[in-house]
Amino acid sequence: LFPYTTLFRSFDVDWNVKQLHVAIVPKTPRFTAEIDITATVLSDSVEETYRFRCVPDASRLQRLLIEFTQAIDPPLRVTLSTPEHVDLAARPIAGDPSEGNDSKPTNQIWEVTLPKPYSTPFEFQAVHVRPWVGPIQVNFASVPDATVQRGRIAIRAESNPKVVIEPRRLEPIPLPSVPPDAYATVDRKSTRLNSSHTDIPRMPSS
């Protein structure tokens, strides 16, 4: 009958105590997250697509943070995974691209605001495109406030560019077979994330 649960608390008050006050603070939402990252190598750019699936745990979630291992130059388009693909408000709140350099990427945190509080599972995605002119590192993403999170990374190539995948400080895991109706155009590897760096070097044309 009621959209929100009514919470009652009663207190015995000693009016002789000075500076008595009661504070009301927001409850930190609890949720789990699954993250799928796809880096698609094009002829002169790399498109990184991030798909997030969040499952709230008996709480309502409207705002969440995403941490990238490298700073992102806007625009970063974030949309709700619905038939309407509603654009979500997203902005960087920590980390500055000017603080990093090519040899030492700077982590960056973005704030994403949903159009309404969600107490049921929901999905959204973020897409970023950057130039590809030499070896680059895949930009990993995580959800710092999630109680549990897990992720997968896929690297794909279009137009058959000559690339290789060089995992660094990652733990190898068994590689799944390629489905009959799919094809692999790059050196394929499967790894478990133990680091924040994976390089995709651009190989010279033969």
Side-chain angles (χ1 to χ4, degrees), residues 66 76-80 86-90 110 112 124-127:
I66 304 173
L76 175 69
R77 188 186 181 193
V78 184
T79 58
L80 199 60
V86 177
D87 288 330
L88 301 180
W110 283 64
V112 176
F124 67 96
Q125 74 171 22
V127 179

Side-chain angles (χ1 to χ4, degrees), residues 48 50 68 70-76 92 97 106 108 110 127-128 139:
E48 291 165 318
Y50 306 86
F68 295 96
Q70 302 172 58
I72 289 181
D73 291 326
L76 175 69
T106 301
Q108 188 179 55
W110 283 64
V127 179
H128 183 250
N139 198 352

Side-chain angles (χ1 to χ4, degrees), residues 141-161:
S142 62
V143 184
D145 294 333
T147 54
V148 177
Q149 60 181 309
R150 59 184 300 177
R152 293 170 293 271
I153 302 171
I155 299 176
R156 299 175 178 172
E158 295 188 1
S159 303
N160 196 26

Side-chain angles (χ1 to χ4, degrees), residues 112-126:
V112 176
T113 303
L114 303 171
K116 64 179 182 178
Y118 279 81
S119 58
T120 57
F122 63 91
E123 298 183 13
F124 67 96
Q125 74 171 22

